[in-house]
Amino acid sequence: MPPGRLLRIQVTGRARAGKTTVRNALSLLSAEETAPIDEPGQPDPILDADLVLYILAGSLRPADRRALATVPSERALVLLNKADTIGTRWSDAATAAESHSAALGLPVYPIVAALATRTRAGTLTDADMRTLRRHRHRTDPACTLAPDLFTTPAAGTDVANRQLLLARWALHGVACALAALHHDPALSPCSLLQILHSASGIDPVHHELHRRHELTSAPCRS
């Protein structure tokens, strides 16, 4: 890539993989979001950018393999989005990412882009903290497996507060916040937000993007 030229990035993947959310989570406003891979009746987009962010959501399919086979490994970065929907623990998503990585011969990063976007744009309000502290004793993973389990009237009269909390931070964010506050009830909103940001898995992707950018933009030496 000629010195001084901006890195050209494409964000791609199958429909509903979360391409736009990932783009926002990484603040890649100048990145190109392609048409979906494997769209019925449509050709796959040409993946020819300096860096291709390939977004997976769930299982690896033949269309994903076919598309990634057209991209040199040094120009591909694979993100397993919606990692919070894989199994019941982060280790389940990490195992899935390792399996996909072995199949593709590429590193695969598990992330929850929706949570990363929330931590970039939002703050934990006093109302959020009051609701979280009120329910920090609910350490059973089952209580955050589904919205209706977390907002059940059986857990108290603050149903509306819990619904608002879910609308702002989603189940994965709420579950991580409850676990953190159960461990340390004195956490400040700022510290808890940092924990949630880390729980999104987005930081390793930021670091890898920075590394790829430096490698790609470095002047060639004879």
Side-chain angles (χ1 to χ4, degrees):
M1 185 175 78
R5 183 169 74 79
L6 290 176
L7 191 71
R8 179 173 167 245
I9 299 175
Q10 288 175 306
V11 182
T12 192
R14 287 183 274 115
R16 294 177 293 282
K19 297 185 291 295
T20 300
T21 307
V22 169
R23 183 168 164 264
N24 291 337
L26 292 169
S27 300
L28 297 175
L29 301 182
S30 62
E32 305 167 20
E33 185 175 325
T34 75
I37 297 292
D38 204 29
E39 187 78 349
Q42 299 296 324
D44 283 347
I46 296 173
L47 305 178
D48 58 356
D50 302 309
L51 181 60
V52 175
L53 296 187
Y54 196 94
I55 316 304
L56 290 172
S59 60
L60 184 63
R61 297 184 182 177
D64 302 315
R65 297 172 184 264
R66 183 180 67 244
L68 282 165
T70 69
V71 184
S73 58
E74 68 273 12
R75 292 199 289 109
L77 188 58
V78 184
L79 310 182
L80 179 59
N81 191 26
K82 305 180 183 180
D84 54 319
T85 66
I86 301 173
T88 58
R89 300 177 182 275
W90 187 262
S91 59
D92 296 327
T95 299
E98 289 174 2
S99 176
H100 294 343
S101 178
L104 293 169
L106 294 166
V108 178
Y109 294 79
I111 63 169
V112 185
L115 180 58
T117 300
R118 286 176 165 92
T119 59
R120 280 190 62 251
T123 57
L124 285 153
T125 65
D126 290 342
D128 291 337
M129 296 300 293
R130 284 194 298 270
T131 303
L132 286 165
R133 288 196 169 107
R134 192 180 302 122
H135 293 275
R136 66 182 179 83
H137 64 281
R138 298 177 65 188
T139 56
D140 182 356
C143 81
T144 50
L145 283 178
D148 59 334
L149 295 176
F150 180 69
T151 58
T152 174
T157 59
D158 62 340
V159 173
N161 300 92
R162 281 176 278 149
Q163 290 172 337
L164 182 59
L165 189 69
L166 279 181
R168 284 173 52 75
W169 299 103
L171 280 169
H172 182 60
V174 169
C176 293
L178 290 175
L181 286 170
H182 180 76
H183 178 73
D184 184 358
L187 281 171
S188 68
C190 182
S191 296
L192 188 54
L193 190 68
Q194 291 175 343
I195 290 171
L196 294 183
H197 180 77
S198 178
S200 74
I202 207 70
D203 280 341
V205 181
H206 274 295
H207 295 324
E208 180 62 12
L209 279 174
H210 182 69
R211 188 186 74 83
R212 296 287 186 100
H213 176 75
E214 288 188 329
L215 285 175
T216 307
S217 59
C220 296
R221 296 180 180 179
S222 57

